[in-house]
Amino acid sequence: MEISLQKRHLLIFAVLTAASILIFQISVVFFLLSIPLFIIMQRYGFSYLSLAVLFVSLAIVIETFIRGSGIEGSNLRHFLIVAELVYPLSIIAGVLGIAWLRYRTLYSLVVVTIGFAVISVPLIFYYSGNEEIVNLLKNQIIYVSDMFRDSVTASDSFESSVLVKELQPGVIIESTMKLVFRNYIFAYFIMISCSWFIADAIQRRRNRRDQFKLANFKVPEIMIWPLIITLAIVFLDVFIGMSWFGYIMWNSAFVMVFLYGLHGIGLIKYLLNRYEVPGSGRRLIAISIFVVLLLPGINLILLIGVPVLGVSELWIRYRT
């Protein structure tokens, strides 16, 4: 009986490991490869997780090197292979880090995100000094912007003339650089957090435990200081420029605002439950929020107001 149970566990372990490798093949949702790893972590512990991480990492590295072997130019091939490996291997390392740290989940997610930032910054500096790689990326951006500009210039409207000015290669390159560098660490945090949440929900359902309730979610009070500091530096970056440090602070600010946004949403759900708002009222509120989010400018009321609501619980005790 014991041998049969052990075989069953090994089979489940093998299936979950294989599932992680297969999910990586779906490029759009590759980051979900960490869901089976999180499940292994919760079911079987750190030792089994380490073994699964080894198998999955080897499979990803081998596959990526095989795909990249046909690319001409050693510098270009090296860059493209590293670029394809950074996110998946960092996410896998993040799962391993969360299992090893054993902190409160929120703290663990923040710590592994900081670890990703520490690793990624030297890589960015290294490749930003390579003219071949930089010129390649610039040429790709220019090619895409020229395609859009050619299609827009076919129209003689006033709007098209304004859009053509905005589609200048220099403007596109600068905007793209800011968009990527101000969000790539935040994107990592979102990807690994979403994977953890899905895996946790699966395990809670399997073990017949209560699901995670956003209405009970609170950001620890000490986190207000990182929020204040990062927002202050972001404002400085807007007006005087803070170079690479500014990009890190933008990512940090997005993470903090996102967390306090969840805090605000959880508070709203708590208040809806407390005052026993019926289902019809909740649906009306949800539809109204959705409509407001679609309105440029007006949606800032929610995008700023909800995190501010979360912050306000530092001084106003809504949950009594």
Side-chain angles (χ1 to χ4, degrees):
M1 184 69 178
E2 185 178 346
I3 296 175
S4 176
L5 185 62
Q6 187 177 10
K7 287 183 178 179
R8 181 171 177 272
H9 286 319
L10 287 174
L11 178 61
I12 294 173
F13 169 80
V15 169
L16 289 171
T17 303
S20 184
I21 297 171
L22 289 174
I23 291 172
F24 173 72
Q25 313 303 317
I26 310 173
S27 57
V28 178
V29 292
F30 75 92
F31 61 93
L32 297 180
L33 65 88
S34 57
I35 293 176
L37 298 179
F38 275 123
I39 294 174
I40 291 173
M41 177 190 77
Q42 294 185 19
R43 284 193 181 187
Y44 304 117
F46 188 80
S47 298
Y48 276 90
L49 174 64
S50 301
L51 193 59
V53 162
L54 178 62
F55 289 146
V56 174
S57 299
L58 279 175
I60 290 174
V61 169
I62 292 170
E63 179 186 345
T64 304
F65 269 90
I66 291 173
R67 286 207 306 258
S69 60
I71 301 174
E72 296 181 0
S74 59
N75 286 338
L76 177 59
R77 180 171 61 253
H78 185 264
F79 168 74
L80 292 177
I81 288 174
V82 170
E84 189 168 349
L85 288 175
V86 165
Y87 265 127
L89 292 186
S90 297
I91 289 172
I92 291 171
V95 177
L96 201 60
I98 290 170
W100 181 73
L101 288 169
R102 296 182 181 178
Y103 297 157
R104 175 178 171 176
T105 303
L106 176 59
Y107 290 146
S108 296
L109 290 169
V110 171
V111 169
V112 298
T113 302
I114 293 172
F116 170 72
V118 170
I119 294 171
S120 64
V121 170
L123 285 174
I124 292 172
F125 271 110
Y126 175 77
Y127 284 110
S128 62
N130 188 310
E131 291 188 7
E132 181 183 355
I133 301 301
V134 172
N135 289 332
L136 171 69
L137 296 176
K138 285 183 177 180
N139 290 335
Q140 293 299 314
I141 294 172
I142 291 171
Y143 175 73
V144 174
S145 66
D146 286 343
M147 287 179 56
F148 278 107
R149 191 167 53 184
D150 291 341
S151 62
V152 170
T153 50
S155 173
D156 295 328
S157 64
F158 171 76
E159 291 82 2
S160 64
S161 63
V162 173
L163 190 56
V164 166
K165 293 181 180 179
E166 295 296 324
L167 289 175
Q168 296 300 320
V171 176
I172 295 293
I173 290 172
E174 183 179 357
S175 300
T176 303
M177 182 181 71
K178 287 182 178 179
L179 179 65
V180 172
F181 288 155
R182 287 178 176 177
N183 289 276
Y184 81 98
I185 300 173
F186 173 58
Y188 174 87
F189 178 80
I190 293 296
M191 287 189 287
I192 197 165
S193 298
C194 287
S195 297
W196 170 84
F197 176 79
I198 295 171
D200 183 69
I202 292 172
Q203 282 300 99
R204 285 175 182 267
R205 182 177 292 275
R206 173 181 175 270
N207 297 329
R208 297 181 180 178
R209 292 186 290 126
D210 291 337
Q211 292 292 321
F212 170 78
K213 294 181 180 179
L214 192 57
N216 297 330
F217 177 75
K218 290 183 179 180
V219 178
E221 292 187 4
I222 196 172
M223 301 289 276
I224 189 63
W225 295 110
L227 175 66
I228 293 171
I229 293 169
T230 54
L231 287 178
I233 297 176
V234 162
F235 280 118
L236 284 175
D237 182 60
V238 170
F239 292 107
I240 64 174
M242 301 290 289
S243 187
W244 61 270
F245 187 63
Y247 291 131
I248 294 176
M249 289 299 103
W250 274 94
N251 281 276
S252 303
F254 282 136
V255 170
M256 297 308 304
V257 169
F258 173 75
L259 291 176
Y260 275 102
L262 291 179
H263 189 140
I265 294 171
L267 181 55
I268 292 170
K269 294 195 70 171
Y270 171 83
L271 294 174
L272 291 176
N273 293 337
R274 179 181 177 181
Y275 293 105
E276 299 180 349
V277 178
S280 57
R282 297 185 186 213
R283 284 191 292 271
L284 179 61
I285 293 172
I287 293 171
S288 300
I289 290 173
F290 178 75
V291 171
V292 171
L293 286 174
L294 295 177
L295 300 175
I298 298 176
N299 57 10
L300 290 175
I301 297 173
L302 283 176
L303 296 177
I304 296 175
V306 174
V308 169
L309 178 63
V311 172
S312 70
E313 197 168 16
L314 282 169
W315 302 280
I316 305 171
R317 300 299 177 186
Y318 302 99
R319 308 182 219 211
T320 56

